[in-house]
Every structure is written in C-alpha cells, then in structure tokens.
Amino acid sequence: MVRAIAWRVAGVVPVLFLVTLVLFLLLRLAPGDAADLLVPDDATEAEIQRIRERWGLDRPWIEQYASFLLNLMKLDLGRSYRYGEDVFALIASRVPATIELASLALLVAAVIAIPLGILAALRKGKALDGAVSVFAIAGVSTPTFWLGILLVLLFSAELQLLPSGGRLPYGVQLPERTGLHLVDAVLAGRFDLIGLILSQLVLPVLTLAFSMVGIISRITRGAIIDVAQEEFITTSVAKGLTRGSIIRHHLLPNATVPITTILGLELGVLISGSIIVEVVFSWPGLGTLLYQAISVRDIPLVTGIVVTYTTLFILINVVIDIIYFAIDPRIRASQGA
Amino acid sequence: MRKSDFLNTKFIVGITCLAVILILAVFGNLISAHDPSEQDLMSSLQPPGFSNGGYYLGTDHLGRDILSRMASGARVSIVIATAIVLISGVFGVIYGAMSGYWGGVRDIVLQKIVETFWAFPPILLALAILAFFGQSLANIILALAIQRWIPYCRIARAQALVLRNREFVAASQIMGASTGWVVTRHILPNLLSAAIVIATFSMAGAILAEASLSFLGLGVPPEIPTWGGMLAEGRSYVVGAWWIAVFPGLGIFFTVLGLNLLGDWLRDLLDPRAALNLR
C-alpha cells in the first residue's frame, strides 16, 4: 500500500512539470515583448532590464524555461505590480479565506446531498426521487453569480437578515493566526465573534454549495442503485437479512467509492465556482485576488495564482486517490500493495 | 421503443426552453422598437410593463431596453457557444481517433498532452489565456475550447482502439486505404451518437462559462451586450430594480436548462444501458 501511494505521489512531478511548461509557452506566445508584459506600464528601462535578467529573457527559450521553473521552485515570481508585494507572500495571505469558504461549502453540500441521494435511491420512482432529479438539473443550470445576486437581493437588501459581502463587518478586529476566521476566533477565545463570522459565511457558502448539492445527490443515488443490483445484495435478501441491516452493512459501504469520486470531481466546480462567488461577495480570497490581477494584467501575480490553484487541484486529487486505498480493499488488492 | 419514451418530459421541457430562447434571439429585435445600445436617460430604470413607451421588460440604469439587449445577448451566447462546441468537437474527435488508431509511442505522447491540459482546474486555464492574450471574441473561443475537446478525444480514442484490430479495418488497410480514409469511414460514424450527447452538455457548459467570464468583465468586450455583462453592469442598481438582474439570469438559466435536459434525453435515447442505470 505504501508503495502504491508513493508511486501515485511521484506521478505528480511530471504533471506539474508539464503544467508549468504549458503556462510558460502561453506566456511566451502572448503578443508583444514578454518583458513589457511582466512590468507595469510606467516601468523604467532599468526595471525592464532587471526583469529580462530575472526571467532570462535574453537567453534561448530552454534556459528561459529553466529559470522560470527555478523561480517557481524557490516560490519567487518577483513582485506584484499592483500591490508591490512579493507574489507568493500575497497568495499565502489570501489562501485561508478561500479554504474556509470552499471547504465549508463542500461540507454543507455533502451533508445535504448524500442523505438526499440515499433517500432518493431507496424511494426510486417516488415523488422525492423526482424532486431530487429536478433539483439536480436546476442546480447545474443556474449561473452561480446570478444566484448570489438574487440571494443578496432577497436576504440582504429586502429582508436585511444577512450581510451582503466581506469576511468581517467593518471595524471588527480578530487576531489572525491560521487565517481561518472560525479557528482564529476559537483560539483567541472570542466566541462572541463566531455568530458574526458565520453570518458572513452563510450566503457565499449556500451559493457555492447549491450547484454541488444537485450533482452529488444524483451520483449518490446512481451509486446506491448500482450496488443494489449486485448479486451479493440478492444473496443477503435471500438470507433473510432485514432491510435496515442490508442498507447499513452492504449497500452503503459499497457505495462509498463512487461517492468519494464525485466529491473529487466536484473539486473543479468548487474552484471555478469559488472564484466567482468570491467576486460576487467581495470575499478576500485567492479568487478575488486573481480577478483583480487579471483586470490590471498583473502577469506575475496571475501566473503565481494559476500555479497555486493548479497545484492545489492536483494534490487534492492525489489525496482522494489515497482515500480510495483506505476505504476500498479491492483497490488495494488490485494495486498489489 | 414506446412513443412515451421518445416524447418524455425532458424532451418537451428542454425543447420548449430552447424554442423560447431561439425566438427571442431571432425575433426579439422585431418585438421591441428600441435599439439594444440606444441610451434614453429620461426613461432609465423603468419597470417592466406595457405602458412605459414600449420597454416591455423595463430599462437599465442608462435607459437601455432590456428586451432588445436580451435578444442581442442570446445571439452572442449562441454564436460563441456553437463556435466553441464545433471547434473543440472536431479537434477532439480527430485528435483522439488518430491517437488511438496510431497507438504506440505517438499515442503515449499525445495522451500525455491530454493529461496535462486536464490537470488544470476548469476555467483557470481560460482565465490565464485571457490575461496573457487580452480580450477578444477569438480569444474567448480559444480560452473556452482549450479543455472542452478532451471528452471527445477520450471517446474517439477508445473507439479507435477497439476498431483498429477489427477485420474490416484490416481489410481496408490491405486494400490500401489511408489513415484518413479508415478514420473517416470506419471510426467516425461509430462515434457520432456519443459525440452529439457530449456536444449538448458541452454547449450548456460553454454558455455558463461565457456568461461567467462576461460577468467578471473578462469575456466579450463590454460594448457588445451579453447576458453576463448585463448582470455585471446592472449589479449596483438591482436593489429597487430587480428586473435588471432577473431577466438576463433567466435567459442563461433557461438556455442551459434546455440544453441539459436535451442532453439527458439524448443520452437515455442513444444509450439504453446508461438509461437503465440512471433512471
């Protein structure tokens, strides 16, 4: 098992290598002189020269790529010219906000969708089943930003129940340690702030979770129905086991792998969705940072953020594969671990 | 197959949604007397109705007619999404079919490239392209097609791998058929139904993605009316003028819903095995 996991982790290196190559080629293919792209419009000749040297733009492109890769590995893409700060320091300061939003949204979506999918499968063809299907297809058809705006219109402007954006109300101070506000509030013993933090989270989390609930419940339902058609279920019915016992001991454990798969596949939706939700709710995470960076064509910052998202995406996919090993003995066996 | 399977709810609702949008796209500018970019500041933020100077769906903050802007937005969405689906479909099918048919080292290299493009989270690569290359219609189509060819490539390759060892393919090779002939005559026809299903879902995704990019102001240039752009521009005025936000969103929603329902229906129709599992 350890060997199979190590093999999977090692497989990440060539993919990351190729991903950076694609980004590098796109940067070089972009119209205009690369040095102009990498400096602000009002840069002096000396600054342009410094960028040329840092990115190796006066050397053959193989060497340019080598120095790009080296800078990436040193987590050094220079300064963002919008913020004047180090690119990766800036990114690191924004990552916790995104993680807090995205992981809560995934949690909320899973907690709602998985039981819903199981119920729909067990009541196949009934009203609840139909409702889940309708909800699923409506969920994937609703533009995230539109839902966000409508929720703000209803809950913030009309009913004045929830804040329309931001992470903390103006003027509220919270000592940052992890950057995850819920955790920080607990660490600082400021339990009075938790309600405040949660009220800021409700609308963005619901907006982001909405489209995922539909898909996750539908896949859960499909997985349960697939397992229900297996022969060992027929056997356990023939043995005279109760319905509850079959569901708990045979149906659900065997449906965990496809459900884990869909949680992994939803990761892509989570990342692209969170960028838009962050912009709609002025959530100060990586997505808003990317949006601002693209608006002013802050190329070093854009490159850094794209590399960060992609690396996170690839690594979380590896973690999901490792979870397969942990939950499914068949996969362990087939990998010769 | 029973008639009820063919004309089921998914089909009827899906086709109705799309018909409404198509009618809007084709006839919208005939129904409304106003030009989509004509500003009439005297009648800005008019609510929808029949007694407000012909602004049936109301006006935005610049007094522009929502209905005619919706119609233009529908055309832009449909044209861009169609271009994306055609380009990615043709490219993906040819790429996958060649990769599978050739096999060997060429297949390994081509599949490594697929894996690389697939490693980017969706929309991220599109955003990078728009940031590096700047905004234009061509760049949006390129940006949104750059990952959408992969599903076609997967099925085309799988099909080619199965077919290349079949006797009728060997027979045509012996008779001197070129790679191009074998791929177009033997491999492509077998892919058509799967490719149509993928294309329908992919078009829904492309419309959502284009709207999201235009909403962020990174998509279609702002002087062209789009549904995403209308939502972005009207965002600060929606409190007290709900119609600015509601109508463009409904446009996107019904188009994407119609395509998703139609895709579901086609999948059930063309692949009875999947229908058994999912229904």
Side-chain angles (χ1 to χ4, degrees):
Chain A
M1 180 166 160
V2 173
R3 226 180 72 191
I5 291 176
W7 192 240
R8 182 69 185 83
V9 173
V12 167
V13 176
V15 175
L16 273 178
F17 185 75
L18 288 169
V19 159
T20 55
L21 183 63
V22 168
L23 271 181
F24 171 77
L25 289 177
L26 283 175
L27 259 176
R28 295 302 284 127
L29 283 172
D33 183 5
D36 288 339
L37 213 55
L38 292 164
V39 293
D41 289 336
D42 55 354
T44 61
E45 200 46 50
E47 271 179 88
I48 296 178
Q49 196 49 44
R50 223 181 40 238
I51 289 292
R52 269 185 210 288
E53 276 163 30
R54 164 187 285 279
W55 291 69
L57 293 176
D58 41 5
R59 283 172 281 145
W61 77 266
I62 295 260
E63 286 179 39
Q64 289 179 26
Y65 176 58
S67 67
F68 174 68
L69 207 57
L70 213 67
N71 285 336
L72 270 182
M73 283 193 291
K74 287 190 293 190
L75 292 185
D76 176 14
L77 278 182
R79 285 177 180 285
S80 144
Y81 42 79
R82 182 173 193 271
Y83 295 92
E85 282 178 58
D86 178 68
V87 164
F88 279 102
L90 203 54
I91 290 173
S93 72
R94 297 295 197 99
V95 166
T98 297
I99 289 182
E100 189 165 56
L101 172 65
S103 52
L104 270 177
L106 188 63
L107 184 73
V108 167
V111 165
I112 298 173
I114 293 175
L116 208 58
I118 294 172
L119 279 177
L122 297 178
R123 288 180 178 45
K124 198 175 149 194
K126 301 276 172 56
L128 177 76
D129 187 21
V132 168
S133 294
V134 170
F135 190 71
I137 205 143
V140 291
S141 306
T142 307
T144 318
F145 53 91
W146 185 50
L147 181 67
I149 292 175
L150 292 185
L151 288 178
V152 167
L153 204 53
L154 181 63
F155 289 101
S156 306
E158 206 58 46
L159 302 174
Q160 311 217 323
L161 283 176
L162 292 162
S164 64
R167 276 185 96 188
L168 275 178
Y170 188 74
V172 174
Q173 294 291 327
L174 178 69
E176 294 227 353
R177 275 193 243 174
T178 59
L180 307 169
H181 279 179
L182 283 175
V183 179
D184 284 342
V186 173
L187 288 179
R190 295 290 305 272
F191 297 101
D192 53 314
L193 287 181
I194 288 183
L196 218 52
I197 295 167
L198 283 176
S199 73
Q200 300 278 351
L201 273 161
V202 174
L203 289 184
V205 163
L206 284 184
T207 308
L208 192 49
F210 182 74
S211 67
M212 292 190 288
V213 168
I215 305 182
I216 297 175
S217 57
R218 206 163 146 78
I219 301 279
T220 306
R221 171 186 178 274
I224 299 275
I225 290 173
D226 275 351
V227 176
Q229 287 162 350
E230 297 269 354
E231 284 173 359
F232 61 80
I233 298 291
T234 317
T235 310
S236 48
V237 174
K239 275 199 312 194
L241 292 184
T242 62
R243 188 176 155 88
S245 165
I246 294 173
I247 292 172
R248 269 194 311 279
H249 300 298
H250 297 280
L251 211 49
L252 295 185
N254 281 291
T256 45
V257 170
I259 295 172
T260 315
T261 310
I262 187 61
L263 290 181
L265 288 176
E266 283 300 280
L267 202 64
V269 179
L270 199 60
I271 288 181
S272 50
S274 73
I275 295 174
I276 290 166
V277 169
E278 284 184 16
V279 174
V280 171
F281 289 97
S282 329
W283 191 259
L286 208 48
T288 321
L289 190 65
L290 176 63
Y291 167 67
Q292 289 158 344
I294 295 177
S295 315
V296 295
R297 298 200 76 193
D298 188 339
I299 300 298
L301 189 53
V302 172
T303 311
I305 297 172
V306 172
V307 169
T308 309
Y309 268 124
T310 308
T311 311
L312 276 175
F313 186 59
I314 294 171
L315 290 180
I316 299 175
N317 274 314
V318 172
V319 171
I320 287 164
D321 280 359
I322 294 173
I323 294 175
Y324 288 154
F325 281 110
I327 60 180
D328 193 343
R330 284 169 301 189
I331 297 177
R332 259 177 312 205
S334 74
Q335 301 280 327
Chain B
M1 177 184 301
R2 283 171 300 142
K3 195 170 174 241
S4 60
D5 283 340
F6 187 78
L7 280 177
N8 68 12
T9 329
K10 282 178 193 165
F11 176 77
I12 294 168
V13 178
I15 220 71
T16 311
C17 290
L18 292 179
V20 170
I21 298 297
L22 276 177
I23 290 171
L24 175 69
V26 177
F27 299 109
N29 292 101
L30 298 176
I31 303 169
S32 170
H34 300 278
D35 185 84
S37 45
E38 169 198 311
Q39 299 187 7
D40 177 3
L41 289 171
M42 296 302 286
S43 40
S44 67
L45 299 176
Q46 290 281 329
F50 291 101
S51 53
N52 57 3
Y55 297 112
Y56 303 123
L57 295 185
T59 58
D60 69 4
H61 57 292
L62 295 175
R64 292 175 299 191
D65 179 33
I66 302 257
L67 177 60
S68 57
R69 291 179 73 73
M70 288 280 297
S72 307
R75 286 196 295 273
V76 174
S77 279
I78 293 169
V79 168
I80 292 180
T82 309
I84 293 166
V85 168
L86 281 179
I87 292 170
S88 58
V90 169
F91 180 78
V93 165
I94 294 175
Y95 188 104
M98 299 308 270
S99 178
Y101 182 72
W102 279 330
V105 180
R106 279 184 284 189
D107 182 41
I108 293 173
V109 172
L110 288 176
Q111 289 312 305
K112 210 70 210 167
I113 296 174
V114 172
E115 217 182 293
T116 307
F117 278 99
W118 203 238
F120 287 94
I123 245 186
L124 249 280
L125 197 52
L127 288 173
I129 288 174
L130 290 169
F132 298 164
F133 289 69
Q135 276 170 260
S136 72
L137 275 184
N139 286 350
I140 290 153
I141 293 171
L142 169 76
L144 290 178
I146 204 153
Q147 279 186 318
R148 288 181 185 276
W149 56 279
I150 294 175
Y152 303 96
C153 167
R154 292 245 163 90
I155 53 148
R157 177 171 174 271
Q159 191 75 45
L161 282 175
V162 173
L163 290 180
R164 74 185 180 133
N165 298 322
R166 294 281 289 275
E167 278 169 8
F168 66 90
V169 172
S172 58
Q173 282 168 332
I174 291 165
M175 286 190 285
S178 64
T179 305
W181 174 272
V182 173
V183 167
T184 50
R185 297 308 291 259
H186 297 305
I187 296 178
L188 293 191
N190 282 297
L191 286 175
L192 206 61
S193 57
I196 290 173
V197 174
I198 296 178
T200 315
F201 287 122
S202 178
M203 182 134 178
I207 285 182
L208 264 186
E210 179 272 313
S212 306
L213 290 179
S214 297
F215 172 74
L216 293 176
L218 308 169
V220 179
E223 60 274 14
I224 304 171
T226 57
W227 291 334
M230 286 170 77
L231 270 162
E233 284 179 39
R235 219 182 120 194
S236 5
Y237 303 92
V238 293
V239 178
W242 54 268
W243 54 93
I244 296 181
V246 168
F247 291 122
L250 282 179
I252 305 167
F253 176 71
F254 280 120
T255 315
V256 177
L257 181 71
L259 287 165
N260 277 331
L261 285 170
L262 217 57
D264 249 17
W265 171 77
L266 277 170
R267 186 174 52 195
D268 297 347
L269 189 74
L270 299 172
D271 183 6
R273 207 173 49 88
L276 273 182
N277 286 339
L278 286 169
R279 198 173 282 166

